[in-house]
């Protein structure tokens, strides 16, 4: 294997591992800190986008903004994880079908482990809904990757 390709493969897998560490890092926060952090972030986003008036007029959305944000973040985290995993797997010459399956396995396994890990954190509880949302994010990423990859082995594998 050429040195440049080894570096690319290594970097791709470091990105996957890094994303898993980020996910588990968020899960390491106790329940109160986690809710407080996400409330602060969502309120800053709302202010930045000048959506305060819109939310004030919609009581249901205002009351559930943090819950919706947290679920959207679950989807997004696992979307990114699956993209990174698919990318890393394509570097090791897996065709798109195999890369898709293994990317889903990596993401879904991480989702289950993450929820089980949360059982050990004060104020956190595992949620099967979160595993489904995480898996949906991963599936969306894999479908997008599969759609945009036309050949079984793309040009990067020949680096």
């Amino acid at each position: 294997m050429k040195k440049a390709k080894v570096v690319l493969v290594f970097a791709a897998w470091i990105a996957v591992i890094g994303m898993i560490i980020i996910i588990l890092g968020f899960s390491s926060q106790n329940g109160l800190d986690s809710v407080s952090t996400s409330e602060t972030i969502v309120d800053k986003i709302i202010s930045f986008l000048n959506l305060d008036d819109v939310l004030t007029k919609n009581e249901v959305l205002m009351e559930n903004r943090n819950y919706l944000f947290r679920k959207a973040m679950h989807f997004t985290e696992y979307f990114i994880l699956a993209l990174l995993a698919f990318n890393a797997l394509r570097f090791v010459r897996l065709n798109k079908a195999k890369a898709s399956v293994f990317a889903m396995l990596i993401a879904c396994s991480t989702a289950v482990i993450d929820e089980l890990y949360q059982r050990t954190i004060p104020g956190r509880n595992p949620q099967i809904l979160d595993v489904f949302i995480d898996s949906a994010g991963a599936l969306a990423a894999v479908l997008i990757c599969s759609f945009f990859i036309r050949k079984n082995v793309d040009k990067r594998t020949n680096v």
Side-chain angles (χ1 to χ4, degrees), residues 66-95:
N66 193 45
Y67 177 81
L68 296 171
F69 173 76
R70 291 171 70 87
K71 300 309 171 192
M73 287 309 301
H74 269 273
F75 184 93
T76 303
E77 289 171 338
Y78 285 87
F79 182 92
I80 293 168
L81 176 60
L83 281 177
L84 293 171
F86 187 90
N87 179 58
L89 291 159
R90 293 290 290 165
F91 268 118
V92 293
R93 291 183 174 252
L94 287 184
N95 65 36

Side-chain angles (χ1 to χ4, degrees), residues 3 7 9 11 24 35 40 68 82 103 108 134 140:
K3 188 176 182 179
V7 170
V9 171
L24 294 175
V35 170
T40 300
L68 296 171
C108 293
D134 300 341

Side-chain angles (χ1 to χ4, degrees), residues 99-116:
S100 297
V101 168
F102 284 114
M104 284 300 298
L105 282 172
I106 290 168
C108 293
S109 297
T110 302
V112 170
I113 291 166
D114 180 46
E115 290 303 314
L116 293 174

Side-chain angles (χ1 to χ4, degrees), residues 118-133:
Q118 287 183 30
R119 290 178 46 177
T120 67
I121 307 299
R124 303 292 296 260
N125 295 309
Q127 305 272 333
I128 191 71
L129 176 62
D130 288 347
V131 174
F132 289 135
I133 293 169

Side-chain angles (χ1 to χ4, degrees), residues 4-32:
K5 184 176 179 188
V6 171
V7 170
L8 290 174
V9 171
F10 182 75
W13 284 108
I14 290 297
V16 172
I17 293 166
M19 189 63 200
I20 292 170
I21 290 170
I22 288 169
I23 289 168
L24 294 175
F26 283 128
S27 293
S28 295
Q29 291 182 310
N30 72 47
L32 293 176

Side-chain angles (χ1 to χ4, degrees), residues 46 50-63 65:
I46 290 167
N50 289 328
L51 296 173
D52 299 299
D53 292 339
V54 173
L55 288 176
T56 312
K57 294 175 185 174
N58 187 330
E59 187 177 321
V60 173
L61 191 56
M62 184 65 168
E63 288 177 15
R65 70 189 183 284

